[in-house]
Amino acid sequence: METPFLILSLFVYLAAMALCFFKKSSEKIFLYVTTIAIILHLLALIIRSVAAQHPPFTNLYETFLLLSFLLALRLVFWKRQLPKNLRWLVLVVICLFLLSALVMPTSYKMPKPLMPALNSLWMYIHVPAYFFGYMALILGFIYAVTLLVRRRATSERSDSSLVSCMDTEIKIAFLFLNIGMATGGIWAYMSWGNYWAWDPKEVWALVNILVMAFYFHLKKPTDTKKAVLVILALLSVIFTYLGVTFILSGLHSYA
Amino acid sequence: MRKNRTRLNLIVLRIFQFVALVLILLLAASTFFLQQSEVPSDYSSPNLIVRWLSLDRFYDSGLNSILWLFLMVLLVLAVVFNVIRSTAQKALHLLLALIFGVVFINKNLEVRFFMPIAEGKEVLLSSFIDRLPEKEDATIRLERFEIPTHAGTSSPKNYISHLVINQIDSVDLAVNRPVVVGKFRLYQNSYDRVFFFRVMIDDKPFETAFGDVFNVDGTPVSVIAFDDHTEKFIMSIGDDEFRPPLDQPFPAGGKTVRITPLGIRFISVIEVVQPVGVKWLTALGLLYIFSLIMAFWKRPAEERG
């Protein structure tokens, strides 16, 4: 039911992306177009939530929609942080997520009732916290790749504004991954009586945090080292998000 | 003096990086191997490296504990030797060390066991745990087990055990709704559906399921299976095997046996936990998040000491 709205929002996001390449297009027009796309995206999320009778956090399809929505929000709100010339890259990631969600097999998209363990208030904190962290890490990744590409192309020694943006995103990501882990522990204790079960997803969430901790514990934190660490952290998160779900099984197999 | 301190900082940092890297690699690798908790206890991986690095039992291994303890010590050293200078970050590192310590104590001291109860049956906590003081003991009776479903579907909405504690308090135990009994917390873990029979041996009735062993005058008795072809039960009394027919008296080992089917009943599997330090852990976790916000708010990453 939400598919028409998703397709529409995808096209509007593509239009916003096209605007990024027109030097004469104004900031206002970009903002209006992106806002329209976000409203359509939000409508799709609401319709999905009503159909599934739970917020869109519980399977891969829904989390793709949620993650792309959070990324889109960053384009409109707190946009001062995001360099204008990198917006198109964020829009590419949003469109890729939406496209992937749209082409997923029907079995992935079917709204399913909430399983008993997920029926908890903690889900409303734990899952969004992780996806907020993932969103910040994706932005950090965009900065990291841009930094490395620019370094290679221009052999500039430092791009302090980009590094500063990357630092902020990694701090946000690290904070929210920690919040996700802490709330997950509390929820697991309420649900199973055990705050930590060495489940593959839990172990990989811990690995993500340890990898990101390196970012703050470099002896000589050069921009290149930091950028490489951000890329490694994102790879680790991608494995946690997708790899663990499809390759390994455990308590979080539904996610 | 200053040179020595810088050297010390470097050593602590390098050791931290090394231990964290080893942990990352071992933790990541361990998720690809079946853990011993998931396989029979006599199983051992044929791979020498897996066995040597304890990858098939990493979470319970001494290596895992040592690495985390080492990390804990490094966090404290970083604060003691002023490797970190900001107050917020010092608090952050000390809190992490405390969290690791409480986790270590919790994992080693907490009591945890599974308590299966059939519908209509009553169990004593003390029958599952050694040396439980009488005042901490409790009787738990499962009145009924219920699986409500989502409207219009067969998907379970919850798993609910309607319990009676100490023959007085009626409580509902469900997923995400634990029940506190004295120092213990009860959690709805899983359930089973089992066919029950009434076995009459010389007019003494026993309720049992396949495989359960009960004693009659000191002799172990068990209903093993039902043979569909002959429509007879397979039953063992002591070392002898008997095949009594359905719901008819049958002489067996000098006794008269009659087995009457009662029907399917739920067995609720309840996990019982006596937690140690979980409240502390929650408080420390929340304080850690607060310190993390403070540390990030105040200083950019480059200014790390």
Side-chain angles (χ1 to χ4, degrees):
Chain A
M1 253 162 57
E2 69 279 4
T3 310
F5 288 96
L6 285 179
I7 294 171
L8 271 175
S9 70
L10 176 64
F11 279 111
V12 185
Y13 280 130
L14 285 169
M17 201 196 317
L19 284 175
C20 295
F21 296 105
F22 287 106
K23 282 183 180 167
K24 286 185 179 174
S25 71
S26 77
E27 175 73 13
K28 261 190 179 174
I29 295 173
F30 175 82
L31 216 61
Y32 286 144
V33 174
T34 317
T35 309
I36 291 168
I38 287 174
I39 291 168
L40 289 167
H41 199 152
L42 180 66
L43 277 172
L45 284 172
I46 292 169
I47 292 168
R48 172 71 187 187
S49 304
V50 172
Q53 296 181 348
H54 57 71
F57 305 158
T58 60
N59 61 29
L60 198 67
Y61 171 72
E62 290 172 354
T63 53
F64 267 38
L65 301 188
L66 178 71
L67 194 48
S68 48
F69 182 71
L70 290 175
L71 279 165
L73 284 182
R74 277 299 294 273
L75 282 174
V76 177
F77 300 102
W78 206 6
K79 57 183 184 292
R80 203 172 40 159
Q81 174 70 26
L82 197 73
K84 278 184 187 173
N85 55 350
L86 293 181
R87 281 171 177 170
W88 69 274
L89 269 173
V90 181
L91 282 160
V92 167
V93 178
I94 293 170
C95 292
L96 281 175
F97 270 118
L98 280 182
L99 207 58
S100 310
L102 283 166
V103 298
M104 269 183 201
T106 321
S107 59
Y108 281 64
K109 294 185 195 174
M110 287 294 285
K112 286 176 190 143
L114 214 55
M115 58 186 281
L118 295 183
N119 195 5
S120 164
L121 273 177
W122 287 102
M123 185 177 75
Y124 297 84
I125 309 170
H126 171 68
V127 184
Y130 265 116
F131 281 93
F132 213 80
Y134 289 0
M135 176 269 290
L137 190 58
I138 289 171
L139 290 177
F141 172 79
I142 289 172
Y143 297 137
V145 171
T146 312
L147 201 75
L148 291 179
V149 170
R150 277 190 193 168
R151 173 68 52 87
R152 208 177 161 81
T154 62
S155 67
E156 277 175 31
R157 280 197 64 81
S158 179
D159 189 339
S160 57
S161 67
L162 212 53
V163 176
S164 159
C165 287
M166 187 168 73
D167 278 344
T168 308
E169 296 303 339
I170 297 309
K171 282 177 191 173
I172 295 170
F174 190 71
L175 173 66
F176 278 94
L177 293 192
N178 273 285
I179 292 174
M181 180 164 283
T183 52
I186 297 170
W187 182 11
Y189 181 68
M190 295 301 292
S191 185
W192 299 307
N194 204 351
Y195 55 84
W196 188 261
W198 293 110
D199 175 67
K201 200 118 186 170
E202 291 175 359
V203 173
W204 273 94
L206 185 60
V207 167
N208 295 339
I209 286 179
L210 285 172
V211 171
M212 289 181 73
F214 264 89
Y215 189 91
F216 306 105
H217 292 84
L218 289 168
K219 177 62 193 159
K220 287 172 187 163
T222 62
D223 300 350
T224 313
K225 275 187 199 172
K226 282 178 162 184
V228 170
L229 263 173
V230 172
I231 292 168
L232 284 175
L234 188 84
L235 290 176
S236 170
V237 161
I238 289 173
F239 187 79
T240 311
Y241 183 24
L242 303 174
V244 174
T245 307
F246 290 110
I247 299 169
L248 310 168
S249 64
L251 293 168
H252 290 80
S253 294
Y254 46 81
Chain B
M1 184 72 180
R2 192 181 174 82
K3 201 177 173 184
N4 279 347
R5 177 152 287 177
T6 316
R7 198 180 153 80
L8 191 71
N9 290 4
L10 186 64
I11 291 169
V12 172
L13 189 66
R14 285 278 183 254
I15 298 174
F16 171 81
Q17 286 175 337
F18 177 75
V19 175
L21 191 63
V22 171
L23 256 175
I24 288 171
L25 294 174
L26 288 175
L27 284 172
S30 67
T31 56
F32 292 94
F33 296 96
L34 271 179
Q35 294 299 301
Q36 280 200 335
S37 55
E38 299 167 300
V39 293
S41 55
D42 56 347
Y43 171 83
S44 183
S45 172
N47 190 320
L48 191 69
I49 298 172
V50 172
R51 285 208 309 273
W52 189 67
L53 289 174
S54 311
L55 289 177
D56 56 350
R57 56 193 141 81
F58 185 67
Y59 311 132
D60 300 322
S61 72
L63 182 61
N64 189 19
S65 304
I66 288 169
L67 285 171
W68 283 106
L69 281 174
F70 203 37
L71 215 53
M72 187 177 97
V73 172
L74 284 171
L75 289 169
V76 176
L77 283 180
V79 175
V80 171
F81 291 115
N82 272 331
V83 177
I84 308 153
R85 284 175 219 120
S86 131
T87 315
Q89 293 201 359
K90 274 183 182 175
L92 192 68
H93 285 71
L94 275 180
L95 275 169
L96 258 185
L98 263 173
I99 287 171
F100 293 167
V102 177
V103 167
F104 193 73
I105 292 166
N106 170 276
K107 288 292 169 197
N108 285 292
L109 295 183
E110 80 169 1
V111 177
R112 181 180 291 275
F113 57 88
F114 292 103
M115 185 172 69
I117 318 177
E119 278 179 316
K121 297 277 181 188
E122 190 171 83
V123 294
L124 272 166
L125 277 179
S126 56
S127 55
F128 294 89
I129 182 169
D130 292 333
R131 293 191 294 269
L132 184 68
E134 203 176 318
K135 63 177 180 183
E136 288 176 23
D137 201 4
T139 58
I140 293 156
R141 179 183 170 82
L142 177 64
E143 286 288 311
R144 196 162 51 88
F145 184 78
E146 191 190 351
I147 309 177
T149 53
H150 287 279
T153 70
S154 58
S155 305
K157 201 173 183 179
N158 212 331
Y159 303 105
I160 306 171
S161 294
H162 301 282
L163 302 174
V164 178
I165 314 286
N166 291 329
Q167 287 139 3
I168 304 168
D169 302 323
S170 292
V171 285
D172 289 347
L173 174 70
V175 177
N176 283 319
R177 285 212 310 264
V179 165
V180 179
V181 179
K183 287 183 178 175
F184 294 93
R185 286 172 74 93
L186 312 186
Y187 292 90
Q188 183 62 56
N189 185 276
S190 56
Y191 72 95
D192 203 356
R193 251 189 263 226
V194 175
F195 203 96
F196 272 84
F197 314 95
R198 179 182 292 117
V199 181
M200 298 276 283
I201 300 178
D202 287 344
D203 295 331
K204 279 186 192 166
F206 300 90
E207 279 187 13
T208 183
F210 284 128
D212 285 357
V213 181
F214 52 95
N215 277 293
V216 179
D217 302 334
T219 310
V221 177
S222 170
V223 181
I224 300 161
F226 183 72
D227 187 338
D228 287 330
H229 294 292
T230 59
E231 293 204 334
K232 286 179 176 176
F233 285 99
I234 303 168
M235 178 180 189
S236 72
I237 300 179
D239 295 331
D240 300 320
E241 188 179 290
F242 297 95
R243 290 176 177 255
L246 188 71
D247 209 14
Q248 283 175 28
F250 179 83
K255 298 171 193 297
T256 305
V257 177
R258 182 180 181 140
I259 305 179
T260 313
L262 289 176
I264 291 175
R265 280 188 203 161
F266 280 108
I267 291 183
S268 174
V269 181
I270 296 169
E271 189 164 4
V272 184
V273 184
Q274 189 180 18
V276 178
V278 175
K279 280 180 188 165
W280 278 102
L281 203 58
T282 311
L284 288 171
L286 294 176
L287 260 175
Y288 166 74
I289 297 295
F290 177 72
S291 310
L292 200 57
I293 294 168
M294 294 309 289
F296 281 166
W297 196 273
K298 293 215 163 184
R299 304 178 69 205
E302 293 92 334
E303 288 175 29
R304 181 195 46 74

